[in-house]
Amino acid sequence: MSFKNVRGPHNPVRTTMPLAAYRVMGFGAVPVDEREWQPRIDAVRTVLAALTDGDMPAASPELLDAFSVVKGLFSRIALGDTGDWYSVSRLLGYPSAALSMAASWRMAWTRAAIREQDGDVFRIAASRLEDDHCLEMLGNYLEMTIEKSYPLVEHGWAYILWSSTERDLMHVGAAAGTVEDVLKRLDREHPDHAAFGVLSAWLVHDPLEAYVGIHERLSPAALGDGFFRLDLGQAKTAVETLLRETENVSHSPWHGDQKLAEPVRHTTADGADFLIK
């Protein structure tokens, strides 16, 4: 059996501003392409059924393709590299970038276990997905897309927002309301700008603490009114480090203070040793 080619997201995390102009819908908040709408629903439904059943499913091209598609959904959120990444995050219930990175890897491990029909690896990877509430996230996706239920409304966010009108500026901060509330306010206050979108967002426990800490750490790059001029990678690192140090981040609405499930080292029957992330 071979697990040497198991891979998480194929691209690096976005650390530069998008090149395209996002005039009507801001980056990250672009609606899901209608050509991808039904295939994604079908893939989520297939993967959720396979994970809920509990037993090792038989391998088939359709099932393996479905896991690839769902892995790609989590990869979008982890990397923040596509115009619809925040729209996808909303459908999945706002998993954090760190959780989405882990989920992408675990979807890849589960897919490989099904392909190789390795029950031990399947149980380990699938249990990590369950421990981190990924089944609830897939269920939320189906509720919002099929049943047209209202999205989860989560208050308390840290964020990096951006309009393609001024490519070298970012709006960075935290608020007690929703990210959508802040986007609407920025669009209203800057009617001459292209629509504001989302470069990064973190669900936080204490938005005021996050707001104060962010502005203290980024003060050398501050331009006023919450706008900053600095490298996106530096801004992401600064905010993520602050939230991690102050334990002021929640990985999903289902997590609360729960930490992410730890990777597991596993030795296969033929003696190969792997770290299942």
Side-chain angles (χ1 to χ4, degrees), residues 40-68:
R40 291 182 184 182
I41 291 173
D42 294 340
V44 169
R45 184 191 289 114
T46 298
V47 168
L48 182 58
L51 294 173
T52 303
D53 182 64
D55 296 327
M56 163 73 77
S60 70
E62 294 76 18
L63 180 58
L64 298 180
D65 286 347
F67 269 92
S68 294

PDB file of all heavy atoms in Angstrom, residues 40-68:
ATOM      1  N   ARG A  40     -20.691  20.491  -6.544  1.00  0.00           N
ATOM      2  CA  ARG A  40     -20.194  20.587  -5.170  1.00  0.00           C
ATOM      3  C   ARG A  40     -21.208  20.008  -4.184  1.00  0.00           C
ATOM      4  O   ARG A  40     -20.834  19.323  -3.226  1.00  0.00           O
ATOM      5  CB  ARG A  40     -19.872  22.043  -4.817  1.00  0.00           C
ATOM      6  CG  ARG A  40     -18.659  22.597  -5.555  1.00  0.00           C
ATOM      7  CD  ARG A  40     -18.364  24.018  -5.122  1.00  0.00           C
ATOM      8  NE  ARG A  40     -17.252  24.602  -5.877  1.00  0.00           N
ATOM      9  CZ  ARG A  40     -16.759  25.820  -5.677  1.00  0.00           C
ATOM     10  NH1 ARG A  40     -17.286  26.593  -4.729  1.00  0.00           N
ATOM     11  NH2 ARG A  40     -15.753  26.276  -6.400  1.00  0.00           N
ATOM     12  N   ILE A  41     -22.480  20.293  -4.401  1.00  0.00           N
ATOM     13  CA  ILE A  41     -23.516  19.723  -3.543  1.00  0.00           C
ATOM     14  C   ILE A  41     -23.464  18.196  -3.599  1.00  0.00           C
ATOM     15  O   ILE A  41     -23.512  17.514  -2.570  1.00  0.00           O
ATOM     16  CB  ILE A  41     -24.908  20.225  -3.965  1.00  0.00           C
ATOM     17  CG1 ILE A  41     -25.058  21.714  -3.658  1.00  0.00           C
ATOM     18  CG2 ILE A  41     -26.012  19.422  -3.266  1.00  0.00           C
ATOM     19  CD1 ILE A  41     -26.341  22.322  -4.194  1.00  0.00           C
ATOM     20  N   ASP A  42     -23.374  17.656  -4.815  1.00  0.00           N
ATOM     21  CA  ASP A  42     -23.328  16.199  -4.978  1.00  0.00           C
ATOM     22  C   ASP A  42     -22.117  15.606  -4.269  1.00  0.00           C
ATOM     23  O   ASP A  42     -22.212  14.547  -3.621  1.00  0.00           O
ATOM     24  CB  ASP A  42     -23.293  15.836  -6.463  1.00  0.00           C
ATOM     25  CG  ASP A  42     -24.580  16.221  -7.187  1.00  0.00           C
ATOM     26  OD1 ASP A  42     -25.612  16.402  -6.516  1.00  0.00           O
ATOM     27  OD2 ASP A  42     -24.534  16.349  -8.435  1.00  0.00           O
ATOM     28  N   ALA A  43     -20.971  16.290  -4.365  1.00  0.00           N
ATOM     29  CA  ALA A  43     -19.753  15.786  -3.728  1.00  0.00           C
ATOM     30  C   ALA A  43     -19.877  15.820  -2.212  1.00  0.00           C
ATOM     31  O   ALA A  43     -19.505  14.862  -1.519  1.00  0.00           O
ATOM     32  CB  ALA A  43     -18.546  16.610  -4.183  1.00  0.00           C
ATOM     33  N   VAL A  44     -20.396  16.917  -1.670  1.00  0.00           N
ATOM     34  CA  VAL A  44     -20.561  17.027  -0.218  1.00  0.00           C
ATOM     35  C   VAL A  44     -21.520  15.947   0.284  1.00  0.00           C
ATOM     36  O   VAL A  44     -21.257  15.292   1.302  1.00  0.00           O
ATOM     37  CB  VAL A  44     -21.070  18.429   0.167  1.00  0.00           C
ATOM     38  CG1 VAL A  44     -21.496  18.465   1.634  1.00  0.00           C
ATOM     39  CG2 VAL A  44     -19.988  19.475  -0.092  1.00  0.00           C
ATOM     40  N   ARG A  45     -22.612  15.733  -0.420  1.00  0.00           N
ATOM     41  CA  ARG A  45     -23.582  14.711  -0.019  1.00  0.00           C
ATOM     42  C   ARG A  45     -22.926  13.319  -0.020  1.00  0.00           C
ATOM     43  O   ARG A  45     -23.123  12.518   0.909  1.00  0.00           O
ATOM     44  CB  ARG A  45     -24.787  14.725  -0.955  1.00  0.00           C
ATOM     45  CG  ARG A  45     -25.876  13.747  -0.533  1.00  0.00           C
ATOM     46  CD  ARG A  45     -26.921  13.577  -1.606  1.00  0.00           C
ATOM     47  NE  ARG A  45     -27.758  14.750  -1.769  1.00  0.00           N
ATOM     48  CZ  ARG A  45     -27.791  15.517  -2.860  1.00  0.00           C
ATOM     49  NH1 ARG A  45     -27.009  15.228  -3.895  1.00  0.00           N
ATOM     50  NH2 ARG A  45     -28.601  16.547  -2.941  1.00  0.00           N
ATOM     51  N   THR A  46     -22.145  13.024  -1.049  1.00  0.00           N
ATOM     52  CA  THR A  46     -21.496  11.715  -1.166  1.00  0.00           C
ATOM     53  C   THR A  46     -20.482  11.495  -0.054  1.00  0.00           C
ATOM     54  O   THR A  46     -20.438  10.427   0.565  1.00  0.00           O
ATOM     55  CB  THR A  46     -20.810  11.599  -2.537  1.00  0.00           C
ATOM     56  OG1 THR A  46     -21.790  11.699  -3.579  1.00  0.00           O
ATOM     57  CG2 THR A  46     -20.069  10.283  -2.675  1.00  0.00           C
ATOM     58  N   VAL A  47     -19.666  12.513   0.214  1.00  0.00           N
ATOM     59  CA  VAL A  47     -18.638  12.388   1.257  1.00  0.00           C
ATOM     60  C   VAL A  47     -19.276  12.273   2.633  1.00  0.00           C
ATOM     61  O   VAL A  47     -18.859  11.450   3.458  1.00  0.00           O
ATOM     62  CB  VAL A  47     -17.672  13.593   1.194  1.00  0.00           C
ATOM     63  CG1 VAL A  47     -16.785  13.640   2.437  1.00  0.00           C
ATOM     64  CG2 VAL A  47     -16.817  13.507  -0.061  1.00  0.00           C
ATOM     65  N   LEU A  48     -20.288  13.076   2.898  1.00  0.00           N
ATOM     66  CA  LEU A  48     -20.949  13.008   4.203  1.00  0.00           C
ATOM     67  C   LEU A  48     -21.554  11.628   4.436  1.00  0.00           C
ATOM     68  O   LEU A  48     -21.447  11.072   5.540  1.00  0.00           O
ATOM     69  CB  LEU A  48     -22.030  14.090   4.295  1.00  0.00           C
ATOM     70  CG  LEU A  48     -22.781  14.172   5.625  1.00  0.00           C
ATOM     71  CD1 LEU A  48     -21.825  14.403   6.787  1.00  0.00           C
ATOM     72  CD2 LEU A  48     -23.839  15.272   5.573  1.00  0.00           C
ATOM     73  N   ALA A  49     -22.163  11.051   3.410  1.00  0.00           N
ATOM     74  CA  ALA A  49     -22.743   9.711   3.542  1.00  0.00           C
ATOM     75  C   ALA A  49     -21.652   8.683   3.824  1.00  0.00           C
ATOM     76  O   ALA A  49     -21.819   7.792   4.666  1.00  0.00           O
ATOM     77  CB  ALA A  49     -23.505   9.346   2.278  1.00  0.00           C
ATOM     78  N   ALA A  50     -20.513   8.787   3.148  1.00  0.00           N
ATOM     79  CA  ALA A  50     -19.420   7.834   3.341  1.00  0.00           C
ATOM     80  C   ALA A  50     -18.844   7.931   4.748  1.00  0.00           C
ATOM     81  O   ALA A  50     -18.501   6.908   5.363  1.00  0.00           O
ATOM     82  CB  ALA A  50     -18.323   8.077   2.307  1.00  0.00           C
ATOM     83  N   LEU A  51     -18.738   9.150   5.284  1.00  0.00           N
ATOM     84  CA  LEU A  51     -18.165   9.340   6.612  1.00  0.00           C
ATOM     85  C   LEU A  51     -19.160   9.001   7.718  1.00  0.00           C
ATOM     86  O   LEU A  51     -18.773   8.572   8.798  1.00  0.00           O
ATOM     87  CB  LEU A  51     -17.688  10.790   6.768  1.00  0.00           C
ATOM     88  CG  LEU A  51     -16.515  11.201   5.881  1.00  0.00           C
ATOM     89  CD1 LEU A  51     -16.250  12.694   6.017  1.00  0.00           C
ATOM     90  CD2 LEU A  51     -15.259  10.406   6.222  1.00  0.00           C
ATOM     91  N   THR A  52     -20.429   9.187   7.452  1.00  0.00           N
ATOM     92  CA  THR A  52     -21.452   8.926   8.461  1.00  0.00           C
ATOM     93  C   THR A  52     -21.691   7.435   8.644  1.00  0.00           C
ATOM     94  O   THR A  52     -22.003   6.964   9.744  1.00  0.00           O
ATOM     95  CB  THR A  52     -22.771   9.623   8.075  1.00  0.00           C
ATOM     96  OG1 THR A  52     -22.531  11.030   7.911  1.00  0.00           O
ATOM     97  CG2 THR A  52     -23.836   9.417   9.140  1.00  0.00           C
ATOM     98  N   ASP A  53     -21.527   6.674   7.580  1.00  0.00           N
ATOM     99  CA  ASP A  53     -21.796   5.228   7.623  1.00  0.00           C
ATOM    100  C   ASP A  53     -20.899   4.513   8.620  1.00  0.00           C
ATOM    101  O   ASP A  53     -21.319   3.566   9.278  1.00  0.00           O
ATOM    102  CB  ASP A  53     -21.626   4.633   6.225  1.00  0.00           C
ATOM    103  CG  ASP A  53     -21.951   3.143   6.205  1.00  0.00           C
ATOM    104  OD1 ASP A  53     -23.117   2.800   6.461  1.00  0.00           O
ATOM    105  OD2 ASP A  53     -21.030   2.343   5.958  1.00  0.00           O
ATOM    106  N   GLY A  54     -19.643   4.972   8.731  1.00  0.00           N
ATOM    107  CA  GLY A  54     -18.728   4.396   9.712  1.00  0.00           C
ATOM    108  C   GLY A  54     -17.876   3.263   9.187  1.00  0.00           C
ATOM    109  O   GLY A  54     -16.759   3.050   9.657  1.00  0.00           O
ATOM    110  N   ASP A  55     -18.362   2.500   8.222  1.00  0.00           N
ATOM    111  CA  ASP A  55     -17.598   1.393   7.658  1.00  0.00           C
ATOM    112  C   ASP A  55     -16.786   1.869   6.455  1.00  0.00           C
ATOM    113  O   ASP A  55     -17.120   2.865   5.810  1.00  0.00           O
ATOM    114  CB  ASP A  55     -18.541   0.269   7.223  1.00  0.00           C
ATOM    115  CG  ASP A  55     -19.276  -0.345   8.401  1.00  0.00           C
ATOM    116  OD1 ASP A  55     -18.681  -0.402   9.495  1.00  0.00           O
ATOM    117  OD2 ASP A  55     -20.438  -0.751   8.219  1.00  0.00           O
ATOM    118  N   MET A  56     -15.737   1.130   6.178  1.00  0.00           N
ATOM    119  CA  MET A  56     -14.927   1.433   5.000  1.00  0.00           C
ATOM    120  C   MET A  56     -15.758   1.280   3.731  1.00  0.00           C
ATOM    121  O   MET A  56     -16.259   0.191   3.432  1.00  0.00           O
ATOM    122  CB  MET A  56     -13.726   0.490   4.944  1.00  0.00           C
ATOM    123  CG  MET A  56     -13.047   0.424   3.583  1.00  0.00           C
ATOM    124  SD  MET A  56     -12.100   1.909   3.225  1.00  0.00           S
ATOM    125  CE  MET A  56     -10.673   1.586   4.266  1.00  0.00           C
ATOM    126  N   PRO A  57     -15.940   2.353   2.951  1.00  0.00           N
ATOM    127  CA  PRO A  57     -16.704   2.225   1.708  1.00  0.00           C
ATOM    128  C   PRO A  57     -15.848   1.606   0.610  1.00  0.00           C
ATOM    129  O   PRO A  57     -14.619   1.683   0.653  1.00  0.00           O
ATOM    130  CB  PRO A  57     -17.066   3.679   1.373  1.00  0.00           C
ATOM    131  CG  PRO A  57     -15.973   4.482   1.993  1.00  0.00           C
ATOM    132  CD  PRO A  57     -15.537   3.744   3.226  1.00  0.00           C
ATOM    133  N   ALA A  58     -16.500   0.997  -0.335  1.00  0.00           N
ATOM    134  CA  ALA A  58     -15.784   0.471  -1.494  1.00  0.00           C
ATOM    135  C   ALA A  58     -15.266   1.629  -2.332  1.00  0.00           C
ATOM    136  O   ALA A  58     -15.917   2.675  -2.446  1.00  0.00           O
ATOM    137  CB  ALA A  58     -16.709  -0.416  -2.324  1.00  0.00           C
ATOM    138  N   ALA A  59     -14.094   1.450  -2.910  1.00  0.00           N
ATOM    139  CA  ALA A  59     -13.516   2.498  -3.750  1.00  0.00           C
ATOM    140  C   ALA A  59     -14.215   2.537  -5.095  1.00  0.00           C
ATOM    141  O   ALA A  59     -14.526   1.507  -5.684  1.00  0.00           O
ATOM    142  CB  ALA A  59     -12.027   2.252  -3.940  1.00  0.00           C
ATOM    143  N   SER A  60     -14.472   3.741  -5.558  1.00  0.00           N
ATOM    144  CA  SER A  60     -15.028   3.950  -6.894  1.00  0.00           C
ATOM    145  C   SER A  60     -14.535   5.297  -7.392  1.00  0.00           C
ATOM    146  O   SER A  60     -14.226   6.184  -6.584  1.00  0.00           O
ATOM    147  CB  SER A  60     -16.563   3.940  -6.863  1.00  0.00           C
ATOM    148  OG  SER A  60     -17.051   5.097  -6.205  1.00  0.00           O
ATOM    149  N   PRO A  61     -14.433   5.476  -8.707  1.00  0.00           N
ATOM    150  CA  PRO A  61     -14.002   6.776  -9.232  1.00  0.00           C
ATOM    151  C   PRO A  61     -14.884   7.918  -8.748  1.00  0.00           C
ATOM    152  O   PRO A  61     -14.390   9.009  -8.442  1.00  0.00           O
ATOM    153  CB  PRO A  61     -14.104   6.590 -10.754  1.00  0.00           C
ATOM    154  CG  PRO A  61     -13.958   5.121 -10.966  1.00  0.00           C
ATOM    155  CD  PRO A  61     -14.627   4.478  -9.784  1.00  0.00           C
ATOM    156  N   GLU A  62     -16.191   7.681  -8.648  1.00  0.00           N
ATOM    157  CA  GLU A  62     -17.122   8.725  -8.223  1.00  0.00           C
ATOM    158  C   GLU A  62     -16.859   9.149  -6.774  1.00  0.00           C
ATOM    159  O   GLU A  62     -16.858  10.341  -6.448  1.00  0.00           O
ATOM    160  CB  GLU A  62     -18.568   8.239  -8.361  1.00  0.00           C
ATOM    161  CG  GLU A  62     -19.027   7.991  -9.785  1.00  0.00           C
ATOM    162  CD  GLU A  62     -18.474   6.696 -10.385  1.00  0.00           C
ATOM    163  OE1 GLU A  62     -18.016   5.820  -9.601  1.00  0.00           O
ATOM    164  OE2 GLU A  62     -18.487   6.563 -11.621  1.00  0.00           O
ATOM    165  N   LEU A  63     -16.620   8.175  -5.908  1.00  0.00           N
ATOM    166  CA  LEU A  63     -16.371   8.487  -4.501  1.00  0.00           C
ATOM    167  C   LEU A  63     -15.037   9.198  -4.332  1.00  0.00           C
ATOM    168  O   LEU A  63     -14.937  10.186  -3.591  1.00  0.00           O
ATOM    169  CB  LEU A  63     -16.397   7.208  -3.667  1.00  0.00           C
ATOM    170  CG  LEU A  63     -16.159   7.385  -2.166  1.00  0.00           C
ATOM    171  CD1 LEU A  63     -17.185   8.324  -1.550  1.00  0.00           C
ATOM    172  CD2 LEU A  63     -16.173   6.025  -1.457  1.00  0.00           C
ATOM    173  N   LEU A  64     -14.005   8.728  -5.013  1.00  0.00           N
ATOM    174  CA  LEU A  64     -12.699   9.367  -4.907  1.00  0.00           C
ATOM    175  C   LEU A  64     -12.746  10.798  -5.450  1.00  0.00           C
ATOM    176  O   LEU A  64     -12.137  11.714  -4.875  1.00  0.00           O
ATOM    177  CB  LEU A  64     -11.649   8.543  -5.651  1.00  0.00           C
ATOM    178  CG  LEU A  64     -11.416   7.124  -5.117  1.00  0.00           C
ATOM    179  CD1 LEU A  64     -10.348   6.423  -5.941  1.00  0.00           C
ATOM    180  CD2 LEU A  64     -11.016   7.151  -3.641  1.00  0.00           C
ATOM    181  N   ASP A  65     -13.473  10.998  -6.535  1.00  0.00           N
ATOM    182  CA  ASP A  65     -13.624  12.349  -7.089  1.00  0.00           C
ATOM    183  C   ASP A  65     -14.349  13.262  -6.101  1.00  0.00           C
ATOM    184  O   ASP A  65     -14.004  14.441  -5.957  1.00  0.00           O
ATOM    185  CB  ASP A  65     -14.387  12.309  -8.413  1.00  0.00           C
ATOM    186  CG  ASP A  65     -13.555  11.761  -9.558  1.00  0.00           C
ATOM    187  OD1 ASP A  65     -12.322  11.639  -9.388  1.00  0.00           O
ATOM    188  OD2 ASP A  65     -14.136  11.441 -10.618  1.00  0.00           O
ATOM    189  N   ALA A  66     -15.360  12.716  -5.424  1.00  0.00           N
ATOM    190  CA  ALA A  66     -16.117  13.511  -4.454  1.00  0.00           C
ATOM    191  C   ALA A  66     -15.210  13.978  -3.319  1.00  0.00           C
ATOM    192  O   ALA A  66     -15.273  15.137  -2.886  1.00  0.00           O
ATOM    193  CB  ALA A  66     -17.291  12.708  -3.908  1.00  0.00           C
ATOM    194  N   PHE A  67     -14.353  13.096  -2.820  1.00  0.00           N
ATOM    195  CA  PHE A  67     -13.419  13.495  -1.766  1.00  0.00           C
ATOM    196  C   PHE A  67     -12.457  14.566  -2.268  1.00  0.00           C
ATOM    197  O   PHE A  67     -12.092  15.483  -1.521  1.00  0.00           O
ATOM    198  CB  PHE A  67     -12.655  12.280  -1.237  1.00  0.00           C
ATOM    199  CG  PHE A  67     -13.328  11.612  -0.073  1.00  0.00           C
ATOM    200  CD1 PHE A  67     -14.222  10.563  -0.266  1.00  0.00           C
ATOM    201  CD2 PHE A  67     -13.101  12.045   1.226  1.00  0.00           C
ATOM    202  CE1 PHE A  67     -14.868   9.953   0.802  1.00  0.00           C
ATOM    203  CE2 PHE A  67     -13.737  11.445   2.299  1.00  0.00           C
ATOM    204  CZ  PHE A  67     -14.628  10.392   2.092  1.00  0.00           C
ATOM    205  N   SER A  68     -12.042  14.475  -3.526  1.00  0.00           N
ATOM    206  CA  SER A  68     -11.153  15.504  -4.087  1.00  0.00           C
ATOM    207  C   SER A  68     -11.845  16.858  -4.118  1.00  0.00           C
ATOM    208  O   SER A  68     -11.241  17.893  -3.808  1.00  0.00           O
ATOM    209  CB  SER A  68     -10.711  15.097  -5.496  1.00  0.00           C
ATOM    210  OG  SER A  68      -9.897  13.947  -5.465  1.00  0.00           O
TER     211      SER A  68
END
